[in-house]
Amino acid sequence: MSVGALRLKQNDDSDLTLDEIFEGYLKSPKLFQRRDVLDSSFVPKNLPHRTEQIKQLGYILASVLRGAKPSNILCFGKTGTGKTAVSKYVLSMLKEKAPDHGLRVEVAYLNCNNVDTNYRVFADLCSTLGIEVPFTGLATDEVFTRFKQGLDQRESLFIVVLDEIDSLIKKSGNETLYSLTRINSDLSSAKVSIIGISNDLKFKDYLDPRVLSSLSEEELVFKPYEAPEITDILVERAELAFRPNTLDKGVINMIAAIAAQEHGDARRAMDLLRVAAEIAEREHSEVITQSHVKKAQGAIERNTITEVISTLPVQSKFVISSIYQLENVTSDPDAVSTGDVYERYVQLCRDAGMDSLTQRRVGDLINELDALGIISARVVSRGRHGRTKEIHFSIPRSLVESTLQKDKQFDFNRY
Ligand SMILES: Nc1ncnc2c1ncn2[C@@H]1O[C@H](COP(=O)(O)OP(=O)(O)OP(=O)(O)O)[C@@H](O)[C@H]1O
Ligand SMILES: [Mg+2]
């Protein structure tokens, strides 16, 4: 059978061949003018409602243009508040401007979510300087020394952006930051400045006070966006992304309201707009409507839950599976208690040949699942039997099932 003739399940459950899908796509009305504009990596030239932060960063970094080292900076704010976009924008402008003054500014942008060991940080910094370092094998100190030597061979200002810096500290401690904040005393011609970015407002608690004081010479705060601000951001982006007259009235306001309700997250808004447009496109619609936004919201929510569950430790997956099984056998949805869950959990662990945790630890995992919005656990008094918790799923059971079934780390069908 040719691939083109393969019957594929579509979202709307109609059976289409791959060929029909391709043909249908080509015939569908063209909604997008520039698709990349809604990508998370796109850095817009205009950032509404961030003038204040752009100016502040500009003032701090301007000293580069006189050949001086700017203060180190910490940027804080919840997710999707424009920290990465603002930093990248200001730095790209600075890099453009510096050569006019006979200066050289180099920027290393590291996302510490991926670059989260001391070795990797210095290896990545070396590679920005064109020094190749093996992926592993050297002592971290040696990589750091090579970085310093490489730096000192050039007369430039080197700005290190450590985005999601909290990941690095939580995983690898303060060591790298300590070395980086002290590096200037060992350099003769080059200078290093650090910009740290974090959406974990408590991350300063993890910092060694000496590191904190040099890292936070300046601090910039990014507040969550309000609905009208998100509307302005979306209007500008939509104008670039879509062809004229493809957005139904009210779509942008609806997305802005949803995103502001959660916590003023512009990324969430952008994702909703992109997914709504993709759904409209798949439905061969000539305009993106509020109903596409609703569908997009459902799709994104499902994806988020799936992602949250799949990244949980395996013990938590056993707890989820226990609740799922107990709900299967009870006719009373209020009957699942912490005690029942623990009993079933121990059984599952035994069947899987895995050590089980104490009841207290499992209680903590249950609380964690509650905080994540996967289950809801309500304390109830059972008279002389004392207090217990009634547990329900806060998400559809079908979603629990499909997520755990797909999980490679966990053999759902076996339990
Ligand atoms: N003021 C703005 N104008 C235009 N687009 C914006 C603005 N603020 C944020 N965005 C867009 O919203 C998305 C999220 O922004 P960004 O990545 O900068 O958030 P962040 O604060 O770094 O979030 P996180 O902490 O999750 O990394 C990006 O697509 C970005 O281009
Ligand atoms: Mg970011």
Side-chain angles (χ1 to χ4, degrees):
M1 184 168 60
S2 76
V3 178
L6 194 68
R7 310 304 295 184
L8 296 171
K9 274 263 181 257
Q10 269 286 81
N11 280 352
D12 57 9
D13 272 342
S14 60
D15 283 348
L16 291 176
T17 66
L18 193 50
D19 233 15
E20 283 161 350
I21 290 172
F22 290 159
E23 284 299 322
Y25 175 81
L26 289 170
K27 278 195 214 110
S28 67
K30 209 170 159 222
L31 299 173
F32 282 102
Q33 191 161 265
R34 276 191 64 185
R35 215 173 266 275
D36 64 307
V37 166
L38 297 179
D39 262 14
S40 56
S41 56
F42 180 80
V43 181
K45 290 224 159 32
N46 195 19
L47 294 158
H49 304 292
R50 281 299 174 244
T51 323
E52 198 49 48
Q53 285 80 0
I54 291 173
K55 274 193 190 158
Q56 273 182 313
L57 205 53
Y59 279 126
I60 302 167
L61 295 175
S63 55
V64 170
L65 300 172
R66 291 241 164 94
K69 179 195 115 55
S71 304
N72 295 330
I73 308 162
L74 269 186
C75 299
F76 283 110
K78 286 197 174 165
T79 183
T81 50
K83 300 178 298 296
T84 302
V86 164
S87 313
K88 284 193 168 171
Y89 170 75
V90 174
L91 286 168
S92 73
M93 296 291 278
L94 185 71
K95 263 174 90 171
E96 240 174 68
K97 185 98 184 153
D100 297 350
H101 301 265
L103 293 162
R104 193 162 146 180
V105 176
E106 287 177 285
V107 176
Y109 174 87
L110 272 54
N111 186 327
C112 303
N113 233 341
N114 316 320
V115 185
D116 58 3
T117 63
N118 299 334
Y119 188 97
R120 281 291 309 278
V121 169
F122 294 134
D124 271 39
L125 292 176
C126 280
S127 109
T128 318
L129 296 178
I131 306 166
E132 285 318 317
V133 168
F135 202 68
T136 54
L138 299 177
T140 307
D141 277 353
E142 169 62 21
V143 188
F144 182 54
T145 305
R146 290 190 193 183
F147 170 57
K148 274 197 293 201
Q149 285 166 346
L151 263 180
D152 241 356
Q153 279 166 12
R154 48 231 283 157
E155 276 192 27
S156 66
L157 212 132
F158 197 72
I159 301 179
V160 179
V161 184
L162 298 171
D163 205 345
E164 325 233 350
I165 191 171
D166 43 302
S167 304
L168 174 68
I169 295 157
K170 284 174 199 158
K171 170 120 193 263
S172 305
N174 283 265
E175 211 177 302
T176 304
L177 288 175
Y178 187 77
S179 309
L180 275 178
T181 49
R182 297 289 179 275
I183 196 171
N184 288 307
S185 53
D186 291 344
L187 297 172
S188 49
S189 52
K191 296 183 189 87
V192 174
S193 273
I194 306 163
I195 301 181
I197 304 176
S198 175
N199 58 25
D200 178 349
L201 308 182
K202 286 190 302 219
F203 108 100
K204 285 206 272 184
D205 300 348
Y206 302 99
L207 284 179
D208 180 316
R210 290 170 305 173
V211 172
L212 177 63
S213 70
S214 47
L215 198 59
S216 63
E217 288 168 336
E218 299 275 356
E219 285 190 7
L220 246 69
V221 177
F222 291 67
K223 281 217 212 101
Y225 292 113
E226 310 220 340
E229 295 176 328
I230 297 184
T231 301
D232 291 342
I233 294 171
L234 287 177
V235 166
E236 289 209 1
R237 208 60 86 85
E239 257 169 32
L240 293 174
F242 304 118
R243 286 155 65 101
N245 306 320
T246 44
L247 266 183
D248 213 2
K249 231 174 97 226
V251 163
I252 291 208
N253 283 342
M254 179 177 176
I255 295 178
I258 296 171
Q261 228 172 37
E262 289 184 2
H263 68 257
D265 176 347
R267 181 181 300 110
R268 175 96 166 125
M270 220 69 77
D271 286 346
L272 268 171
L273 186 58
R274 194 191 64 250
V275 176
E278 284 165 0
I279 292 172
E281 198 172 43
R282 226 173 295 147
E283 292 181 0
H284 307 305
S285 172
E286 288 182 6
V287 281
I288 304 156
T289 65
Q290 298 196 17
S291 102
H292 296 130
V293 176
K294 276 220 177 80
K295 287 182 191 166
Q297 203 183 0
I300 291 176
E301 216 158 89
R302 279 195 297 279
N303 277 344
T304 319
I305 293 169
T306 304
E307 204 183 306
V308 168
I309 294 184
S310 60
T311 52
L312 285 173
V314 74
Q315 297 281 3
S316 300
K317 290 175 189 166
F318 272 88
V319 173
I320 293 178
S321 191
S322 307
I323 301 168
Y324 180 87
Q325 289 187 6
L326 288 166
E327 281 195 353
N328 262 351
V329 293
T330 170
S331 51
D332 176 5
D334 281 343
V336 177
S337 71
T338 3
D340 302 335
V341 173
Y342 186 66
E343 220 170 87
R344 177 64 62 123
Y345 158 85
V346 171
Q347 176 87 47
L348 289 185
C349 288
R350 197 178 307 136
D351 292 350
M354 202 174 77
D355 287 339
S356 48
L357 301 171
T358 61
Q359 181 148 11
R360 199 192 159 110
R361 242 335 255 135
V362 169
D364 290 343
L365 294 183
I366 289 174
N367 291 341
E368 218 169 87
L369 294 174
D370 192 359
L372 287 168
I374 294 169
I375 59 163
S376 96
R378 195 163 58 98
V379 179
V380 287
S381 165
R382 287 203 173 156
R384 61 193 169 86
H385 299 296
R387 282 143 64 91
T388 181
K389 276 184 179 167
E390 284 174 1
I391 298 168
H392 307 273
F393 280 115
S394 312
I395 56 173
R397 281 170 57 79
S398 57
L399 197 53
V400 175
E401 191 179 313
S402 63
T403 306
L404 287 183
Q405 242 157 14
K406 272 186 256 154
D407 201 305
K408 292 200 181 68
Q409 197 198 0
F410 180 87
D411 191 356
F412 181 70
N413 294 328
R414 199 183 135 194
Y415 306 114

